[in-house]
Amino acid sequence: STEPQRRKHHRADPMADAVVAAIQPDVEKFYDLSKGDLELIKALFSELAGAPVPPEALVSLLAIPKEEFKEGAALPKATKEQFSNAVKQSVDETDTVEQYKTVFASHIARIENSIKVMGEVREPLMKLHAGCNGDLKKIEAFFCDTVPAPNTGKPMPPGMINALLSVPPTATTCTVEHLLNCVEKNLDPTDTADKLMEVLRKHGAA
């Protein structure tokens, strides 16, 4: 895999077409689970490229019109056609079906686990938010307690909680949607509802 900028002008070749055909079920499953979320798509393409994909390169690869990005509004979603075309553009002659299937399987497993875990912890997370009115210091303390030992409970660097929750640097509170989205996006396949519930209980939310 190579960087998306170079691949944008990729010409179809038999090997690439074979990869695309073989991974089509994975492409459809990932899209259906991600619902076109740009952050999830960015994470997928970054792993395929072996390096972080800059936002402008992702937008170019997905061919999303600039006017769809509005200041202060939520990010637009990629359509299934935009995502499928971007995957096709990203394949070059050195890529294999194995490489793509492995990366897609990993990201599909991550999203499936997030959906399962969030189904169990959504209400306690809402209770946590309501109990502190979204106070970032309290929310940060919760996140710090979810970090594995030996760093459990250690405070974050200044400003990190704001970046994590996607709120302005000067914000001192977050909405419940910011909290839920943040937890969901940062869950990995090894995270379980039981682990999170243990921390939520400690913070009086379960």
Side-chain angles (χ1 to χ4, degrees):
S1 292
T2 54
E3 70 281 0
Q5 297 97 311
R6 186 174 75 73
R7 291 172 170 182
K8 192 183 171 199
H9 304 293
H10 159 72
R11 290 179 185 173
D13 66 71
M15 286 299 289
D17 290 344
V19 171
V20 170
I23 64 169
Q24 195 54 39
D26 307 275
V27 171
E28 292 191 8
K29 186 167 187 180
F30 176 88
Y31 183 83
D32 289 344
L33 288 168
S34 71
K35 298 179 172 64
D37 184 282
L38 294 192
E39 289 182 45
L40 295 174
I41 292 173
K42 182 177 182 289
L44 175 83
F45 278 118
S46 293
E47 189 168 344
L48 286 170
V53 175
E56 59 275 13
L58 182 71
V59 171
S60 174
L61 188 65
L62 289 164
I64 298 175
K66 285 183 182 175
E67 52 268 25
E68 287 192 26
F69 292 85
K70 292 170 185 164
E71 198 173 337
L75 288 173
K77 304 282 187 188
T79 65
K80 185 177 272 194
E81 184 182 11
Q82 285 169 334
F83 177 63
S84 297
N85 287 338
V87 172
K88 286 174 190 171
Q89 297 273 9
S90 77
V91 183
D92 67 26
E93 66 278 0
T94 64
D95 291 328
T96 66
V97 172
E98 241 53 41
Q99 283 174 308
Y100 270 71
K101 277 197 165 289
T102 300
V103 173
F104 267 88
S106 164
H107 285 259
I108 286 168
R110 178 186 289 272
I111 299 172
E112 286 179 330
N113 185 58
S114 293
I115 292 168
K116 178 177 180 291
V117 172
M118 287 304 292
E120 297 180 50
V121 302
R122 187 175 299 275
E123 284 191 25
L125 283 169
M126 291 170 76
K127 185 179 174 184
L128 172 74
H129 183 275
C132 68
N133 293 313
D135 183 280
L136 292 195
K137 288 183 180 174
K138 301 282 176 61
I139 301 292
E140 179 181 339
F142 162 73
F143 276 112
C144 290
D145 283 341
T146 67
V147 177
N151 296 313
T152 311
K154 287 187 180 176
M156 295 181 183
M160 186 173 172
I161 188 65
N162 297 63
L164 197 61
L165 289 161
S166 301
V167 296
T170 54
T172 56
T173 61
C174 70
T175 66
V176 70
E177 287 80 13
H178 281 121
L179 174 61
L180 295 174
N181 288 339
C182 179
V183 173
E184 188 168 359
K185 295 275 171 61
N186 287 285
L187 288 170
D188 68 41
T190 64
D191 287 321
T192 64
D194 286 347
K195 278 189 202 172
L196 272 178
M197 288 298 281
E198 195 176 320
V199 181
L200 284 160
R201 275 192 288 273
K202 180 182 172 183
H203 288 261

